[in-house]
Amino acid sequence: CRIEPPMSLVDFGDLHVYPSDPARQVAATTAEMHLVALNSARQLVLGGEHTLSFPLFAGVARAAAGRNDGAVGYVQIDHHFDFGDRSVLHGPYYHGSNARRIAELPDMGPRRLGFVGAGDFTSAAQYDGLVEQGAAIRGMVDIRRLGIERCLTDVLDSVLRHCTSLYVSLDIDVCDTSAAPGTGHVTVGGLTAAELLAVPAILRRYPVRALDVMEVNPLLDPGGATAHLAARFLFEWLMVAPAS
């Protein structure tokens, strides 16, 4: 591999957190991410619970619209679709509804949504609805048959037909628990570490405006394997040039 020359990296610090107030959290995160996106060329966010991807995307998309940069598509690399509607405890904002809330944004729609790595049980109605409305989907069955590069490329190409840039969200539970035990969901049959580390070079070939990494919980992984895997993923995306 080839390491690129140093780029200008700026740490904007932590966003504000409002425990037990999801609506306030969504509003604040959207506003703060909008400001970050107006003052940077690309954005990288470390989470955090996956609810955050909804307001983060909303802030990035608002900044792109304000700059007349065109529409932003959303690609989620995750073991789940996160297309639920409401939680009994949290209402419309929770870690299982973030993609649905993104789909409901003005002028968004499912054709600007893509999902890679889904393998867990989900609502048949959710899945059928996404397929019927044109969302791009490649699950673990496809990945085992066709490989991660083909499946990720298929989804990115499909979404990019309906937008000019991409927001990519990585939920670390897309990985098998043997590779990433430090997360809130036990995934059996997910991506291997090698498959995950093939993703950054593919993403570097596309106009990725923003990327987040969600659901890494070091407290659940005393050995640190999950944090090391996430850090290596980010290093590959930021610093390693794709092969020519």
Side-chain angles (χ1 to χ4, degrees):
C1 66
R2 177 170 59 86
I3 307 301
E4 289 193 335
M7 65 182 70
S8 177
L9 298 176
V10 177
D11 184 357
F12 284 89
D14 294 337
L15 301 184
H16 288 87
V17 176
Y18 298 99
S20 302
D21 194 343
R24 187 181 185 189
Q25 185 67 64
V26 165
T29 302
T30 301
E32 292 180 355
M33 191 60 185
H34 177 233
L35 290 176
V36 170
L38 286 175
N39 288 281
S40 55
R42 287 195 300 174
Q43 297 80 52
L44 168 62
V45 182
L46 305 180
E49 200 252 14
H50 214 170
T51 304
L52 294 172
S53 290
F54 163 54
L56 292 170
F57 175 87
V60 169
R62 182 187 298 175
R67 291 173 162 178
N68 294 316
D69 285 345
V72 183
Y74 178 77
V75 174
Q76 182 165 295
I77 304 172
D78 192 342
H79 203 58
H80 312 88
F81 290 111
D82 294 347
F83 218 76
D85 190 13
R86 297 185 65 86
S87 162
V88 173
L89 291 176
H90 306 294
Y93 305 121
Y94 71 107
H95 64 89
S97 71
N98 44 281
R100 188 186 190 103
R101 299 287 87 88
I102 289 171
E104 293 169 346
L105 288 170
D107 302 321
M108 187 61 188
R111 291 186 182 276
R112 279 165 50 195
L113 294 178
F115 301 89
V116 179
D120 209 352
F121 294 107
T122 191
S123 163
Q126 286 183 29
Y127 175 76
D128 291 342
L130 286 168
V131 172
E132 290 171 5
Q133 295 178 69
I137 300 172
R138 288 290 183 269
M140 285 307 306
V141 172
D142 301 309
I143 291 170
R144 289 289 162 261
R145 182 169 56 93
L146 301 171
I148 183 63
E149 181 169 4
R150 165 73 182 278
C151 290
L152 179 57
T153 300
D154 284 350
V155 169
L156 294 169
D157 287 343
S158 178
V159 174
L160 204 52
R161 294 189 192 105
H162 306 281
C163 58
T164 56
S165 62
L166 299 166
Y167 182 114
V168 176
S169 177
L170 169 66
D171 186 329
I172 201 67
D173 77 18
V174 75
C175 293
D176 192 84
T177 191
S178 60
T183 188
H185 185 272
V186 176
T187 294
V188 177
L191 294 182
T192 66
E195 287 172 326
L196 182 69
L197 294 180
V199 169
I202 301 168
L203 295 181
R204 292 286 295 266
R205 304 200 294 260
Y206 288 83
V208 176
R209 175 184 293 271
L211 181 145
D212 70 44
V213 178
M214 294 292 165
E215 301 286 352
V216 175
N217 187 342
L219 297 178
L220 298 178
D221 180 11
T226 310
H228 281 286
L229 181 59
R232 179 58 185 260
F233 177 94
L234 296 174
F235 174 78
E236 297 275 349
W237 184 61
L238 287 170
M239 303 300 296
V240 178
S244 56

